[in-house]
Amino acid sequence: MEGFFPALLLTVLAGLATSVGGAIGVLGRGDSRRMLSLGLGFSAGVMLYVSLFELLPAGQESLVAEFGESGGGWAMLGAFLAGILVIAVIDRMVPEAVNPHEPVEMDAHPEHRKHALLRTGFFTAGALALHNFPEGFATLIAGLQQPEIALPVAIAIAIHNVPEGLAVAVPIYQASKSRAKAFWWATLSGVAEPVGAVAGFLLLQPFLSDALMGAVFAAIAGIMVFVSLDELLPAAEKHGEHHLAVYGMVGGMAVMGASLVMMG
């Protein structure tokens, strides 16, 4: 299909942004709660802005064209809530102790902390695969259907993946003292995105239509809103300060909004 490989490349790059977080985790101090709080808040702001100002309007436009003003509006709302339901179920399947957006506490007993950090790092990398499947599919489908939306979606997910890579690398590095191991596990965790993209595409490709794509965009918006409000912002506050998390969120919305204006 025309445009498949450029869209897949965007997905790969967005997924491998976990490498950036991994590099920060092994090259920096790796335990700065303030920086982690800012990064998580920034990610939430980016994802909220893209969801509300790009994905939902695009999804509603396609659905209204297919089902009319009222029918399209209800279809958009249903798809949006369905996306929230799907990611909420996935989130409930991941134990809180190894949730990729809830890094390990820094003040545990040294020996217990070492084993807990190593276990948490590896389990976090595995849990990310579950979380990143729908994100990869979102980027690929956006690239195939509406390239003008694909770049901001890819940027939003890539920025979101930086603190995820950090959450994988930091506990593994602190427990093993191996920069290479921590970095490559963080990088590997991002591979789930292109894998999820291809798997989702192969499953849905025979059924693709404008109406289905509108529903997919609305569902993706729901997924990103849920991740932002249920995971990123609470984790940002937990590991930093309330105002710091909010400043990061506002900064993320400002940066993404300005980039979209410049692109438009």
Side-chain angles (χ1 to χ4, degrees):
M1 175 182 290
E2 183 180 355
F4 178 83
F5 289 105
L8 182 60
L9 177 61
L10 267 183
T11 305
V12 171
L13 293 176
L16 293 185
T18 54
S19 299
V20 178
I24 294 171
V26 301
L27 296 178
R29 286 179 59 209
D31 60 352
S32 172
R33 294 189 179 192
R34 291 175 61 85
M35 288 303 298
L36 185 58
S37 179
L38 273 173
L40 290 167
F42 190 91
S43 299
V46 167
M47 296 185 78
L48 285 170
Y49 195 94
V50 169
S51 298
L52 299 178
F53 289 94
E54 289 291 313
L55 291 175
L56 269 184
Q60 185 169 16
E61 182 180 352
S62 296
L63 291 167
V64 166
E66 183 72 21
F67 302 114
E69 193 70 32
S70 178
W74 283 109
M76 180 273 291
L77 177 60
F80 177 75
L81 295 176
I84 291 177
L85 178 62
V86 167
I87 196 64
V89 170
I90 291 175
D91 195 65
R92 293 289 293 178
M93 294 169 61
V94 180
E96 182 176 340
V98 297
N99 192 295
H101 303 117
E102 303 204 21
V104 70
E105 291 291 345
M106 297 293 178
D107 51 5
H109 184 275
E111 192 61 29
H112 171 73
R113 178 169 171 264
K114 176 181 177 180
H115 293 294
L117 283 168
L118 192 60
R119 177 177 56 83
T120 297
F122 288 138
F123 271 92
T124 298
L128 276 172
L130 195 60
H131 276 261
N132 287 349
F133 257 59
E135 294 175 3
F137 180 64
T139 309
L140 180 65
I141 292 301
L144 287 174
Q145 298 296 318
Q146 296 197 33
E148 68 276 10
I149 292 180
L151 188 57
V153 169
I155 292 172
I157 291 176
I159 293 174
H160 160 65
N161 281 346
V162 172
E164 286 192 344
L166 185 67
V168 174
V170 166
I172 293 178
Y173 173 52
Q174 290 189 355
S176 68
K177 303 305 178 186
S178 170
R179 297 182 190 273
K181 179 184 292 185
F183 175 80
W184 287 114
W185 270 98
T187 300
L188 186 62
S189 68
V191 174
E193 295 218 352
V195 172
V198 173
F201 175 77
L202 291 176
L203 287 173
L204 291 181
Q205 194 272 339
F207 311 103
L208 288 182
S209 65
D210 288 343
L212 178 59
M213 289 319 307
V216 167
F217 277 132
I220 291 167
I223 289 170
M224 294 174 75
V225 166
F226 181 90
V227 169
S228 300
L229 298 180
D230 182 71
E231 298 177 350
L232 294 179
L233 281 178
E237 289 196 348
K238 178 179 178 181
H239 298 285
E241 305 167 6
H242 169 77
H243 288 99
L244 206 58
V246 173
Y247 297 155
M249 181 189 70
V250 173
M253 297 182 82
V255 169
M256 181 51 63
S259 68
L260 290 172
V261 170
M262 288 186 291
M263 288 167 54

